[in-house]
Amino acid sequence: MYERLKAVFEGLEVDWEIIFVDSGSPDDTPRVLEGLAARDRRVTVVQHTRMFGSQSAYSSGMRLATGDAVILLDGDLQDPPELIPTMVERWREGYEVVYGERVKREGPALMNATRKAFYRVFERVAYVTMPIDAGDFSLLDRRAVDAINSLRETHRFVRGLRAFVGYRQVGVPYERPERLFGRSSNNFLANFGWARRAIISFSYVPLDLIGWLALFTTVASLIAAIVEIVLKIVDPNAAPKGYATLIVVVLFVGGVQLICFSVIGSYLAHMYEEVKARPPYILDRVLNPPRSRGGGLPPALELEGADVRILAPEVESAAVPTDA
């Protein structure tokens, strides 16, 4: 990943930095990243104290990034770094947010179909305009980055926050290949959790559906009561009898109530996480912290509590009009 990113940025002839955020990798990633940081001062390594998740990793990197534009990219190389020049080109045209649009992706057909269905449902129910088939891979202008960083939300869904802040946005279509190495931890249950977080964070439709479901159940029960009374009068033998009917009705109403409680509980749990106001991540080590935009190291608040080290010598910045 480092070699491919370096080749892309050198081809663009921009002043660049790469921030690797290691949020609790279980393999030898910390050792490899430390070696890269020792070789190149433009490589910053951020290590969290444990696995806080990808959204916290993105937030951590965005708060340390100093460029006029910031690119969010997963470390598995399913999103090709070679698409970055196209993103930079659209950014220079005046777009503050340029996101990758997955028009096609390799992988299990059922999982891909489920993802596509989710994006279309999410786009319909969200209270802000959500791009379809757009993941975290994107380029953000400094203004968009500062806007997202200023949001106090801790239980984050970055691609939703990216849509929330607005600005001029455009998609860049690409085909997403299957990962070359390792195994994804995003199984069906994990993806269901992502979908739940996205919808709870950016939609009130589930709460509206509870109201419609309650109305439907009430109307159905009134109709059933009227039918029961009419049948008792017209033909008593035709009216439903016995415990079987009672059990079916009780189970139906109980199931509806449990679904409603589950939806309400999801919103309450999300609110509870926000009210606790725990930090979305805790820094362990920061190697080669990037220079702040005004010179010097980043503000102490961003590095508070971290073991900060500079492993590589300084390099001369390229004389170019913009940073990436």
Side-chain angles (χ1 to χ4, degrees), residues 176-225:
R176 195 174 200 241
E178 188 63 276
R179 64 168 59 209
L180 295 177
F181 310 101
R183 177 181 298 177
S184 175
S185 60
N186 280 337
N187 53 30
F188 179 79
L189 290 178
N191 282 320
F192 181 81
W194 281 114
R196 173 181 168 274
R197 175 187 288 197
I199 292 175
I200 295 300
S201 298
F202 293 96
S203 176
Y204 300 118
V205 169
L207 294 176
D208 296 334
L209 289 177
I210 290 178
W212 286 106
L213 188 57
L215 179 62
F216 170 79
T217 305
T218 303
V219 171
S221 64
L222 288 175
I223 294 174

Side-chain angles (χ1 to χ4, degrees), residues 42-185:
R42 293 168 296 185
V43 172
T44 296
V45 176
V46 179
Q47 292 178 335
H48 293 169
T49 56
R50 65 171 178 83
M51 187 178 295
F52 287 92
S54 63
Q55 304 305 288
S56 294
Y58 280 132
S59 299
S60 177
M62 290 169 65
R63 288 195 173 106
L64 285 175
T66 64
D68 294 329
V70 175
I71 296 162
L72 306 183
L73 180 65
D74 287 343
D76 55 17
L77 289 177
Q78 284 186 271
D79 301 315
E82 290 74 21
L83 193 66
I84 291 175
T86 304
M87 290 182 163
V88 172
E89 182 180 349
R90 302 312 302 270
W91 170 59
R92 286 172 172 165
E93 291 173 1
Y95 292 98
E96 285 93 353
V97 176
V98 185
Y99 55 84
E101 186 178 358
R102 305 162 179 171
V103 295
K104 183 179 179 182
R105 61 188 301 165
E106 298 177 0
L110 179 59
M111 185 69 75
N112 289 340
T114 303
R115 291 190 181 103
K116 282 188 171 292
F118 161 73
Y119 279 115
R120 280 143 186 83
V121 170
F122 187 38
E123 189 268 339
R124 293 291 299 273
V125 303
Y127 54 72
V128 294
T129 302
M130 294 287 177
I132 295 177
D133 297 326
D136 293 317
F137 184 30
S138 56
L139 181 150
L140 306 175
D141 183 80
R142 168 51 54 183
R143 292 204 300 160
V145 173
D146 290 343
I148 293 175
N149 287 342
S150 69
L151 299 177
R152 300 171 63 183
E153 193 167 338
T154 58
H155 210 52
R156 295 190 153 211
F157 187 67
V158 172
R159 67 192 74 171
L161 298 178
R162 184 183 67 203
F164 173 81
V165 298
Y167 298 106
R168 293 187 63 196
Q169 304 198 9
V170 67
V172 175
Y174 73 104
E175 296 184 6
R176 195 174 200 241
E178 188 63 276
R179 64 168 59 209
L180 295 177
F181 310 101
R183 177 181 298 177
S184 175
S185 60

Side-chain angles (χ1 to χ4, degrees), residues 280-321:
Y281 57 86
I282 299 175
L283 297 182
D284 183 17
R285 288 201 307 169
V286 177
L287 308 179
N288 294 345
R291 293 284 183 180
S292 66
R293 295 175 63 81
L297 295 179
L301 182 62
E302 299 298 338
L303 302 176
E304 186 176 1
D307 177 15
V308 181
R309 305 178 188 177
I310 298 177
L311 302 185
E314 296 290 340
V315 295
E316 293 293 331
S317 298
V320 292

